[in-house]
Amino acid sequence: MTSTSSPTPDGGRQKMTLTTQIMLAMGLGIIVGVIFNMIGSEFINTHIVGGLFAMIGKMFVNALKMLVVPLVFFSLICGVTGIGDIRVLGRVGGKSFGLYMLTTAVAIAVAIVIASLIGPGKGFDMAGIDTSGISGKQAPSVWDVFAGIVPTNPVAAFANGEMLQIIFYTIILGIAVLMLGHESKGFVKAAEYMNEVMMKIVAIVMAFAPIGVFALIAKTFTEQGIDLFLPVLAYVLTLVFALLLHLFGTLMLFLKMFSGLNPITFMKKIRPAQVFAFSTASSNATIPVTLRCVTERMGAKNSVASFCVPFGATINMDGTAIMQGVATVFLANVYGIDLGLGGYLTVIAMAVLASIGTAGVPGVGLVMLTMVLSQVGLPIEGIALILGVDRLMDMIRTAVNITGDAVVTTIVAKTEGKLDLDVFNDPMAGSVQDSLDINEAAEAELAGYANPR
Ligand code: ASP
């Protein structure tokens, strides 16, 4: 992958960073998507957007997903053996779980307050809205969710990407490895080596991000016309406002309060992961990039990050909870139902619990919303109203979700003394270009080793 160059004031040529390239690709994707949407050509929609762009986007998301399970496995093995003390492991687990629940609960509570103040959905006319085909999901009981953390078959857990089961099994494996002591040296070295290899593969996949992101964004914006947004504009604006408030306000306040770290530096360093989350609408698929941002760009040690990031991608969904809060208030207003304080407290509890058992994949927030609505007796058919705009909202809330994961990870790392401040404060730390460089001498030596003549 060649990088684009731009002249510097002193006449030299400076490489455009990958983050800048990805941001530009995103902007270009939005412009192309909006233009294609306005043109509305059958040929473009079927062959270029539905064909070429869809193919590139899918390949890119598949490539990210391809990384998740082996990366989480190897980095978590290294993480557990790196911590070396089971009590510390328990403390990291407890702290991150507590913070994840706290941020989600605060997120939805603030969302409900904001939505109640703004009052979207009042006087909405339901006539002409097709509500057929919407059916509710039953919330899994908390007990079932916890029981399901223990896999009956670890191979099936890995094959199906069951994140909580994978985390559980890998931690047990890491503990057993630790218990075997010096006999495990070879295994630990191999896992460390595989972890390095996986991080290289992440860098390779990320190098294709500008193309992948462009295709994904252009496709979404071609398919999403502005006409979908107009009827529910009040809902969209309230939701986006609440999401941004959480992103730049609450989360940054948490970061500053609990870790003392600079929120502006944090925001700059997490940007690549946010763009990936926005483009893929999946916290899970973004795990490799989030992990890379918090370790190589922010200096969190792998021993904390390898656990906190995949754990957060599964159980922590601040943005999704905010959507549920705003959507509940919106639908209550549309149907003229007063939920009262008890109703809203139920919504908060349900959203926090539902986020634990559901993985970070596109659209899961809506499924969780059906559980929340049925719990407080709101008609589930109301979801038809917001279905059309949900893809774009999903993209934004997923970016908020992974930012929450990264905030908690850095707080835990900092409070455990596992954050390298020099890395955090170095603006160029963890640039992908550097890690893609191939050491030619070493490569030649390896080739000679592999094919002795
Ligand atoms: N797409 C979100 C995520 O992956 C979940 C959701 O809100 O639908 O985090």
Side-chain angles (χ1 to χ4, degrees):
M1 179 91 198
T2 49
S3 20
T4 325
S5 306
S6 58
T8 55
D10 61 4
R13 318 248 338 147
Q14 195 192 25
K15 276 184 179 174
M16 190 191 281
T17 66
L18 187 69
T19 312
T20 317
Q21 291 181 40
I22 298 173
M23 300 292 286
L24 284 178
M26 198 169 102
L28 197 65
I30 295 177
I31 296 172
V32 170
V34 170
I35 293 175
F36 280 0
N37 179 278
M38 284 181 342
I39 297 174
S41 140
E42 182 70 28
F43 176 82
I44 292 180
N45 289 354
T46 321
H47 297 288
I48 310 232
V49 178
L52 185 68
F53 288 2
M55 179 197 74
I56 297 175
K58 186 130 189 49
M59 280 170 95
F60 180 62
V61 174
N62 285 356
L64 281 171
K65 288 187 186 161
M66 158 186 101
L67 302 170
V68 174
V69 172
L71 180 65
V72 168
F73 178 67
F74 289 116
S75 65
L76 194 51
I77 286 275
C78 298
V80 175
T81 51
I83 285 190
D85 182 339
I86 296 169
R87 271 164 311 184
V88 178
L89 200 66
R91 205 170 58 215
V92 168
K95 249 188 217 176
S96 50
F97 183 75
L99 280 168
Y100 280 142
M101 295 300 100
L102 180 69
T103 48
T104 308
V106 171
I108 186 164
V110 171
I112 289 177
V113 172
I114 290 176
S116 302
L117 290 177
I118 299 179
K122 288 200 173 126
F124 194 92
D125 184 7
M126 273 296 276
I129 308 277
D130 178 14
T131 57
S132 57
I134 306 274
S135 61
K137 282 259 183 331
Q138 213 42 43
S141 95
V142 196
W143 308 115
D144 284 345
V145 169
F146 283 119
I149 292 176
V150 184
T152 50
N153 178 352
V155 179
F158 279 81
N160 298 327
E162 292 288 346
M163 206 46 71
L164 291 183
Q165 297 191 348
I166 294 174
I167 293 175
F168 179 84
Y169 183 75
T170 311
I171 289 179
I172 299 278
L173 187 72
I175 292 173
V177 165
L178 275 179
M179 288 163 93
L180 277 173
H182 74 274
E183 281 180 57
S184 303
K185 253 187 176 162
F187 180 83
V188 173
K189 266 221 122 12
E192 273 165 5
Y193 169 74
M194 281 309 295
N195 191 30
E196 292 281 313
V197 171
M198 289 311 303
M199 285 314 261
K200 283 284 175 215
I201 306 184
V202 174
I204 295 172
V205 172
M206 279 184 75
F208 290 94
I211 306 171
V213 165
F214 168 78
L216 285 171
I217 300 276
K219 177 172 177 290
T220 309
F221 278 81
T222 308
E223 289 166 356
Q224 304 269 314
I226 184 86
D227 42 333
L228 287 175
F229 290 86
L230 293 178
V232 284
L233 202 60
Y235 163 75
V236 170
L237 293 181
T238 312
L239 177 52
V240 172
F241 174 69
L243 286 169
L244 294 181
L245 185 74
H246 188 70
L247 185 66
F248 293 107
T250 317
L251 281 177
M252 292 308 106
L253 206 67
F254 267 86
L255 180 78
K256 189 79 197 153
M257 238 164 56
F258 289 117
S259 74
L261 292 168
N262 184 339
I264 296 175
T265 313
F266 175 91
M267 271 300 184
K268 280 189 187 145
K269 300 216 161 191
I270 195 63
R271 204 174 301 143
Q274 289 173 333
V275 175
F276 274 69
F278 182 78
S279 318
T280 60
S282 167
S283 304
N284 267 28
T286 312
I287 288 176
V289 190
T290 317
L291 205 50
R292 195 170 195 293
C293 284
V294 293
T295 52
E296 300 193 7
R297 288 171 68 87
M298 298 196 210
K301 293 275 180 280
N302 183 53
S303 52
V304 169
S306 65
F307 169 75
C308 289
V309 169
F311 190 44
T314 316
I315 71 156
N316 182 50
M317 294 183 193
D318 297 356
T320 305
I322 291 172
M323 178 277 279
Q324 289 166 354
V326 175
T328 311
V329 176
F330 173 70
L331 293 178
N333 285 343
V334 168
Y335 287 105
I337 297 173
D338 184 14
L339 289 181
L341 187 62
Y344 286 124
L345 288 178
T346 312
V347 172
I348 296 177
M350 273 302 295
V352 173
L353 289 179
S355 73
I356 300 179
T358 30
V361 291
V364 71
L366 269 196
V367 177
M368 286 158 63
L369 182 62
T370 63
M371 302 175 195
V372 174
L373 294 181
S374 56
Q375 198 73 24
V376 289
L378 278 173
I380 292 170
E381 300 76 57
I383 287 191
L385 290 181
I386 53 176
L387 206 57
V389 295
D390 197 62
R391 175 67 192 189
L392 195 66
M393 296 300 105
D394 196 2
M395 292 158 80
I396 304 175
R397 69 182 181 247
T398 307
V400 176
N401 288 349
I402 65 96
T403 308
D405 302 344
V407 164
V408 170
T409 305
T410 29
I411 291 175
V412 174
K414 178 73 180 17
T415 53
E416 287 291 324
K418 302 258 184 241
L419 189 115
D420 186 339
L421 275 177
D422 290 340
V423 175
F424 187 86
N425 292 322
D426 173 5
M428 285 317 288
S431 105
V432 170
Q433 271 94 352
D434 292 347
S435 56
L436 271 180
D437 285 346
I438 292 177
N439 178 339
E440 283 173 16
E443 199 192 30
E445 189 193 327
L446 204 57
Y449 173 69
N451 305 301
R453 277 182 212 158

